[in-house]
Amino acid sequence: MITYNTEGVKMPRIKKRDTTAWIKAVAATYGKKVGDIGYLFVNDEKILEVNREYLGHDYYTDIITFDYDEDDVINGDLVISLDTVRTNAEQFGKEYDEELHRVIIHGILHLCGINDKGPGEREIMEAAENKALAMR
């Protein structure tokens, strides 16, 4: 089950049923089933608080993924800052809606086992994001 909630922001205009079907289709391409996924859309202040409290990081980010996977079933909580998504969209010259969906699927790709911190991993993640976005 995939849930979408907000704290301190308005719910973004996403088609929840379509987005859920898309997420399940992307996960399936990695041989994964979707278990319990919780999206929480927040502002920059909240994501900074979460980043400090749970990861010990003192900076803003667009998404934090908490992974509770079990075998081939992906489970997790994904916290997304809509403020940072908007800033990134402007910075990269992208539409807000496209950047939001990129971030939504970025967390799912992490749950599917794709990383983006090590050498060469960012390019792999970006290619996976582009492939997933093409499935939308």
Side-chain angles (χ1 to χ4, degrees):
M1 179 172 167
I2 301 176
T3 59
Y4 304 90
N5 295 289
T6 63
E7 184 177 316
V9 296
K10 286 173 49 176
M11 181 63 72
R13 292 184 180 162
I14 56 173
K15 295 177 180 165
K16 294 177 189 170
R17 186 173 291 133
D18 292 347
T19 301
T20 295
W22 173 55
I23 289 167
K24 288 179 178 180
V26 170
T29 67
Y30 293 92
K32 305 286 186 179
K33 294 180 186 146
V34 172
D36 291 321
I37 303 289
Y39 281 95
L40 180 62
F41 299 102
V42 301
N43 57 27
D44 270 351
E45 290 71 33
K46 182 62 179 178
I47 205 152
L48 181 60
E49 178 186 313
V50 171
N51 216 0
R52 285 175 176 158
E53 182 175 344
Y54 293 97
L55 301 176
H57 299 159
D58 192 24
Y59 53 81
Y60 298 104
T61 187
D62 50 3
I63 184 168
I64 298 173
T65 304
F66 296 97
D67 185 340
Y68 315 124
D69 288 357
E70 298 173 16
D71 300 320
D72 65 342
V73 179
I74 60 171
N75 298 284
D77 289 320
L78 299 95
V79 184
I80 295 176
S81 170
L82 296 181
D83 293 338
T84 300
V85 169
R86 187 169 307 286
T87 299
N88 288 348
E90 291 167 4
Q91 183 178 341
F92 300 130
K94 302 285 185 187
E95 292 293 322
Y96 172 76
D97 184 62
E98 180 185 346
E99 187 64 18
L100 177 60
H101 282 84
R102 179 178 296 279
V103 173
I104 286 170
I105 210 63
H106 180 94
I108 296 299
L109 293 170
H110 272 308
L111 296 178
C112 288
I114 299 174
N115 296 311
D116 59 357
K117 300 290 186 216
E121 290 180 339
R122 175 156 297 290
E123 293 79 7
I124 293 167
M125 174 62 85
E126 197 171 303
E129 289 170 352
N130 291 337
K131 181 180 165 191
L133 287 168
M135 295 172 63
R136 224 176 103 224

